[in-house]
Amino acid sequence: MTDQMTTDPSKPAQRMRAGSMTLTLAPWVIASVALAIMPMVFTNNSALTIMNQMSITIIFALAYNMLLGQGGMLSFGHAVYAGVGGFACMHIMNMSDFFGSFPLVILPLFGGLFGMGLAMIVGSFSTRSAGTVFAMISLGVGELIAACSVIIVAFFGGEEGVSGDRTYAQPFFGVEFLQQIEVYYLTVAWVVVSAALMYLWSRTPVGRMANAVRDNPERAQFLGYSSRWVRYYSFVASGFFAGVAGGLFAINYEILTEENLNTASSGVILLVTFLGGVGFFFGPIIGAIAFTLLQTVLSLSTELWAFYAGVLFLATVMFFPGGFAGLIMMHVPAFKLGKARLLIMPYFRTLLPGAIGLLGLAALVEMTFHYRHAATGDNEMTIFWTTFDSHAILPWIIAGAITVIGLGIAKTTAPALKEAWDEASTIGGAS
């Protein structure tokens, strides 16, 4: 008789929940080296801008995960803490005498302090409860501050926002941050430091108790811990790192507007965090990378990038709520049992046709959009480096056939994949 492999909570190497991986230097060293050499691979300024945006989103998503993943607090207005921190940094940039007295590298710290200050005020009443009450308060606060952005013009700059110049800061060892590559290294330095601090926070007693309050607040209260104060401390810490992300945004783009703190921005960071996986510390990092590529690279190829992002988010919620990180961690038992190779061919037979079928379906969506919205007489379109007449019947037949055949093969081979998965994650049997 075979048994399904499970994890033993008493063994740290087998724990798979948020913040439970043993802290080792290897992942941090590898990540730091990779970030350091990225500009040598992607040398143009547009690539550097995308990587900077990705880094800022990583910090913001990790900060949001301190609430949702570790504390179980769903916030619909967390962008206001990044936005307020960013606006504060913009005003500091415009204070020439004060801004010129310190190097630019510490400016995100001011953004973090302003974000933390706002979080201390809002958290004093919003963290009294969790669940729906907290979510609705966060939504109300987010809408209130977003509305104030067009009313309190002195701080938020109205519809035009606030702009500044980062080069007025004191040079840092001779670096004036005139080039995008210099800003990139400043940003990734803050990414590594912030990520390490947030990881270490998850290992502190407060971080551990945040998990307990998330899972069973009544039991935590019975053991003598105040659920409210645990949520409050997590909320304030999350506000600080969100403010750091806002400060980095101010440095990179030198302008902030109402869009940086409205509900849409809060919804995007929720999508990013959930897409990567809220149950794992590294999940938001994956989500930030994936979403930034969708938002920047994919948007250059299609106007429907937001549609595909929404479909991906919906599929994540329905079929793999653990996100991309959850999909990765699902394979840990197979690797520990030495049976991961049993999944190679089933994956090839199922996922490859399925991916081709989805590409065919995407082609049908793009053709429909072009057919309905293209200008009169504009019949030519390009998909997957192929130019054709979208009003001709043959491209529709080809795209439909690819979709049906690809998804049909994937559906036919799915049972074999399930059997291989059960075999790979079961103790005993062939290895």
Side-chain angles (χ1 to χ4, degrees), residues 99 103-105 165-180 182-183 186 251 254:
F99 187 49
L104 186 67
V105 292
D165 190 342
R166 62 174 178 257
T167 61
Y168 289 162
Q170 185 182 100
F172 183 69
F173 292 103
V175 178
E176 298 181 3
F177 298 99
L178 299 173
Q179 304 296 325
Q180 193 71 5
E182 298 169 347
V183 179
L186 182 153
I251 291 174
E254 297 179 306

Side-chain angles (χ1 to χ4, degrees), residues 36-191:
I37 65 176
M38 286 287 279
M40 303 176 189
V41 180
F42 305 99
T43 56
N44 57 65
N45 284 335
S46 60
L48 290 174
T49 301
I50 292 174
M51 289 188 291
N52 286 346
Q53 182 178 345
M54 195 178 296
S55 299
I56 295 169
T57 308
I58 287 174
I59 296 178
F60 193 13
L62 286 173
Y64 186 80
N65 195 46
M66 294 178 71
L67 292 183
L68 182 59
Q70 298 177 26
M73 293 178 282
L74 176 61
S75 174
F76 291 116
H78 210 58
V80 299
Y81 307 100
V84 168
F87 274 105
C89 289
M90 295 306 306
H91 285 289
I92 292 176
M93 284 187 189
N94 293 323
M95 298 167 60
S96 301
D97 294 337
F98 178 64
F99 187 49
S101 64
F102 62 87
L104 186 67
V105 292
I106 69 172
L107 182 62
L109 182 62
F110 288 96
L113 292 176
F114 274 90
M116 183 177 68
L118 179 61
M120 291 174 67
I121 297 173
V122 177
S124 63
F125 57 86
S126 66
T127 57
R128 294 176 184 271
S129 301
T132 305
V133 175
F134 176 84
M136 292 300 100
I137 292 176
S138 69
L139 178 61
V141 170
E143 290 288 354
L144 177 63
I145 296 180
C148 289
S149 64
V150 295
I151 300 174
I152 308 177
V153 180
F155 184 77
F156 295 104
E159 296 181 354
E160 297 180 357
V162 180
S163 59
D165 190 342
R166 62 174 178 257
T167 61
Y168 289 162
Q170 185 182 100
F172 183 69
F173 292 103
V175 178
E176 298 181 3
F177 298 99
L178 299 173
Q179 304 296 325
Q180 193 71 5
I181 183 66
E182 298 169 347
V183 179
Y184 169 80
Y185 282 115
L186 182 153
T187 305
V188 298
W190 270 101
V191 168

